[in-house]
């Protein structure tokens, strides 16, 4: 339960870390993009306004009078607000405008005050954006009375000591609305992205932690099972030692034999555990040399034949009739694999059963040796076959009653893998199991 809570907490923290960092980057990038895009939009709109003012100024320079219809057309096409003052007297055009709902004179005065405070109008011959007797200047303007923003331009026309001023204001209301819509859209996109990131991070970190969680659970099960296995022979050893204190010489010899037998059992179990530990820390040593694979199989057969005969099990050996190439492997390790497979076969094959050890050689594109151990024993379930080579997997509990802990297959898998080979298991059509070991040349 504590392990589950720990991994659940780690899952949440990893999700927050992964999604939080990505979310922060996404938001920062979105804000930077919005800032650049809005600045570009403002600059583009201001340049467009300047170009329009330059066009209007050029037209005014070529005309002898200002047409009210022409001004109204410019206002309608571009959404501008235009004021005209001739020697300080407003034109009729100013008072006829019906689309503005505020004091025209006040807006003109505010804009003119902003113009005078921001720009100092100099003589025409000193300005780059001026013509003979006519010049203009553009600026940004915010009305103090309404807080509305504008781009403004004041065109000065001097003719025969008379001064006419044409003020053109470009409201930024439409652009502000577009920017607001753009910000809202980015906010919704960011919210959707953040939600997707948290969901993805939860799933991704869950899958990332799942093997670690399963590995910890398997290790806990392994330690519990190993402790149980070690406790059994240890209890027998301690009990036999207590009995030796008050036993006769003949009885003491029997107890000593029991202590020695259980001690060997503990030693074998500890060695198996150390073998797996070395393989898990990349210290699994393989000392390769050229050997005859048929000799390895023959030695394994001779070692297990007496045990099989004692249990009334028929053990057979099948070797190729033609001489085989030599195999580049660690003979001690491969002998250990054969011993593990044959020991399993003997342990789970009943009396009058059969075990076959077979060696063959394949010359296909993956040339190599194939060793099979076939038995007619109790077989292996489909669920166990998927995990039987896992390091911490404990198969059917009844197997432990045979004095065999089941670490052997995990060790065999490590050895074969270290040789760049492969070990598999399948069902025997006649009942039992078939273990297949494939080794490269």
């Amino acid at each position: 339960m504590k392990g589950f809570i720990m991994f659940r907490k780690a899952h949440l923290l990893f999700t927050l870390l992964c999604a939080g960092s990505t979310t922060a980057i996404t938001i920062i990038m979105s804000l930077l993009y919005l800032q650049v895009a809005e600045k570009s939009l403002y600059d583009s709109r201001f340049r467009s306004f300047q170009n329009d003012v330059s066009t209007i100024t050029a037209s005014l320079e070529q005309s002898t009078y200002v047409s009210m219809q022409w001004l109204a057309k410019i206002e309608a096409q571009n959404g501008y607000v235009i004021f005209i003052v001739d020697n300080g007297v407003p034109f009729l055009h100013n008072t006829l405008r019906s689309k503005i709902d505020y004091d025209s004179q006040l807006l003109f005065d505010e804009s003119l005050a902003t113009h005078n405070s921001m720009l100092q109008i100099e003589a025409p011959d000193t300005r780059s954006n001026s013509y003979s007797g006519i010049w203009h200047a553009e600026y940004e303007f915010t009305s103090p009375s309404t807080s509305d923003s504008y781009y403004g331009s004041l065109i000065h026309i001097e003719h025969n000591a008379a001064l006419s001023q044409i003020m053109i204001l470009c409201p930024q209301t439409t652009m502000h609305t577009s920017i607001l819509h753009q910000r809202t859209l980015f906010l919704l996109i960011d919210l959707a992205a953040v939600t997707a990131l948290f969901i993805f991070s939860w799933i991704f970190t869950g899958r990332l932690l799942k093997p670690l969680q399963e590995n910890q659970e398997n290790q806990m099960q392994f330690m519990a099972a190993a402790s149980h296995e070690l406790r059994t022979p240890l209890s027998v050893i301690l009990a036999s030692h207590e009995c030796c204190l008050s036993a006769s010489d003949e009885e003491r010899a029997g107890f000593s034999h029991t202590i020695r037998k259980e001690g060997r059992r503990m030693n074998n179990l500890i060695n198996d555990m150390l073998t797996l530990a070395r393989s898990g820390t990349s210290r699994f040593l393989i000392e390769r040399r050229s050997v005859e694979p048929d000799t390895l199989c023959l030695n394994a057969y001779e070692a297990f034949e007496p045990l099989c005969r004692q249990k009334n099990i028929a053990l057979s050996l099948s070797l190729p009739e033609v001489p085989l190439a030599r195999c580049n492997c660690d003979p001690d390790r491969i002998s250990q694999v054969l011993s593990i497979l044959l020991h399993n076969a003997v342990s789970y094959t009943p009396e009058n059963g059969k075990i076959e050890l077979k060696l063959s050689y394949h010359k296909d594109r993956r040339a190599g040796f194939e060793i099979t151990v076939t038995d007619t024993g109790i077989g292996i379930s489909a669920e166990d076959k998927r995990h039987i080579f896992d390091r911490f997997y404990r198969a059917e509990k009844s197997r432990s009653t045979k004095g065999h802990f089941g670490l052997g297959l995990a060790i065999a898998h490590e050895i074969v893998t270290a040789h760049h080979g492969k070990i598999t298991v399948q069902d025997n059509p006649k009942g039992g199991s078939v273990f297949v070991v494939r080794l490269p040349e």
Side-chain angles (χ1 to χ4, degrees):
M1 185 65 181
K2 290 183 178 180
F4 174 79
I5 296 176
M6 180 187 70
F7 273 97
R8 179 64 66 179
K9 184 178 180 180
H11 188 187
L12 179 60
L13 291 177
F14 273 113
T15 299
L16 292 175
L17 177 62
C18 181
S21 58
T22 309
T23 297
I25 295 174
T26 301
I27 292 176
I28 292 173
M29 295 300 293
S30 297
L31 293 177
L32 290 175
Y33 175 81
L34 277 175
Q35 183 180 15
V36 172
E38 290 177 10
K39 185 178 184 303
S40 177
L41 184 60
Y42 277 113
D43 292 343
S44 176
R45 180 59 173 160
F46 189 67
R47 286 192 298 269
S48 177
F49 176 69
Q50 287 179 315
N51 293 334
D52 288 345
V53 172
S54 297
T55 302
I56 294 172
T57 303
S59 298
L60 289 174
E61 185 182 26
Q62 298 173 3
S63 302
T64 56
Y65 69 96
V66 178
S67 169
M68 294 180 58
Q69 290 80 6
W70 178 65
L71 293 176
K73 183 179 179 181
I74 293 176
E75 285 186 320
Q77 289 179 345
N78 300 281
Y80 295 158
V81 179
I82 300 177
F83 299 96
I84 305 175
V85 177
D86 187 17
N87 291 321
V89 180
F91 265 31
L92 180 63
H93 174 80
N94 301 352
T95 60
L96 293 179
R97 187 181 299 104
S98 60
K99 67 177 182 178
I100 57 176
D101 55 1
Y102 43 78
D103 191 339
S104 301
Q105 186 62 43
L106 177 60
L107 181 61
F108 173 80
D109 293 339
E110 291 174 344
S111 179
L112 183 61
T114 301
H115 171 272
N116 293 335
S117 63
M118 296 177 62
L119 300 170
Q120 296 296 326
I121 303 300
E122 302 175 355
D125 56 349
T126 63
R127 299 187 57 84
S128 59
N129 59 342
S130 63
Y131 304 93
S132 178
I134 181 170
W135 68 94
H136 59 92
E138 287 70 51
Y139 53 93
E140 293 187 30
F141 159 61
T142 300
S143 172
S145 59
T146 63
S147 299
D148 293 329
S149 298
Y150 301 86
Y151 289 136
S153 178
L154 187 61
I155 303 175
H156 298 260
I157 304 175
E158 291 184 358
H159 183 68
N160 297 329
L163 175 63
S164 297
Q165 294 177 311
I166 301 177
M167 181 173 291
I168 304 175
L169 297 179
C170 174
Q172 300 185 38
T173 306
T174 303
M175 186 168 58
H176 287 166
T177 302
S178 299
I179 290 177
L180 180 61
H181 289 166
Q182 182 174 266
R183 290 178 178 178
T184 304
L185 178 61
F186 265 82
L187 176 61
L188 295 176
I189 293 174
D190 284 345
L191 288 176
V194 169
T195 302
L197 282 172
F198 269 95
I199 295 175
F200 171 78
S201 299
W202 179 263
I203 297 174
F204 176 75
T205 54
R207 292 185 177 182
L208 185 67
L209 291 174
K210 185 176 181 181
L212 299 178
Q213 184 177 4
E214 292 177 350
N215 188 56
Q216 185 191 46
E217 293 174 354
N218 290 335
Q219 290 189 46
M220 293 176 64
Q221 294 175 3
F222 173 80
M223 294 302 297
S227 299
H228 175 75
E229 282 293 316
L230 288 172
R231 187 182 296 114
T232 301
L234 183 60
S235 299
V236 174
I237 290 173
L238 293 175
S240 298
H241 177 264
E242 291 292 333
C243 293
C244 283
L245 298 178
S246 58
S248 62
D249 292 341
E250 183 178 350
E251 292 174 334
R252 190 177 293 113
F255 289 132
S256 297
H257 175 74
T258 301
I259 291 174
R260 185 166 51 254
K261 182 181 68 175
E262 294 301 321
R264 289 197 186 101
R265 180 183 173 191
M266 289 184 64
N267 183 67
N268 292 335
L269 175 59
I270 293 172
N271 287 336
D272 287 348
M273 294 172 68
L274 290 176
T275 299
L276 287 178
R278 283 193 298 268
S279 66
T281 56
S282 302
R283 289 185 290 141
F284 198 87
L285 300 179
I286 296 294
E287 298 180 359
R288 295 175 180 269
R289 62 177 183 267
S290 180
V291 297
E292 296 177 348
D294 49 354
T295 301
L296 298 178
C297 292
L298 182 60
N299 291 339
Y301 169 81
E302 292 176 348
F304 279 87
E305 197 277 333
L307 179 61
C308 290
R309 187 170 61 251
Q310 182 182 354
K311 294 189 63 175
N312 199 22
I313 297 175
L315 176 62
S316 62
L317 174 63
S318 177
L319 299 174
E321 296 181 358
V322 297
L324 295 177
R326 298 176 72 87
C327 180
N328 184 28
C329 65
D330 187 329
D332 294 333
R333 293 297 188 184
I334 298 302
S335 296
Q336 185 179 2
V337 172
L338 297 178
S339 177
I340 291 170
L341 297 181
L342 288 173
H343 187 274
N344 273 356
V346 172
S347 299
Y348 304 115
T349 299
E351 291 188 4
N352 299 319
K354 295 181 180 180
I355 299 175
E356 180 186 14
L357 175 61
K358 182 180 179 181
L359 172 66
S360 58
Y361 178 76
H362 297 276
K363 295 182 179 180
D364 55 10
R365 61 187 181 89
R366 293 184 178 180
F369 301 94
E370 182 176 281
I371 303 173
T372 59
V373 176
T374 305
D375 65 64
T376 57
I378 61 176
I380 302 173
S381 68
E383 176 66 22
D384 287 339
K385 279 202 290 289
R386 288 196 292 268
H387 304 284
I388 201 167
F389 298 112
D390 292 351
R391 180 172 301 178
F392 300 111
Y393 182 76
R394 189 184 182 193
E396 187 179 340
K397 299 295 187 292
S398 62
R399 291 172 178 258
S400 63
T401 61
K402 297 183 179 291
H404 170 51
F405 184 61
L407 292 177
L409 292 178
I411 295 174
H413 179 268
E414 296 289 344
I415 294 174
V416 174
T417 301
H419 281 81
H420 305 291
K422 186 176 182 182
I423 181 171
T424 58
V425 61
Q426 57 194 39
D427 293 329
N428 183 1
K430 297 180 181 180
S433 303
V434 179
F435 285 85
V436 181
V437 177
R438 294 181 177 86
L439 298 172
E441 287 187 277

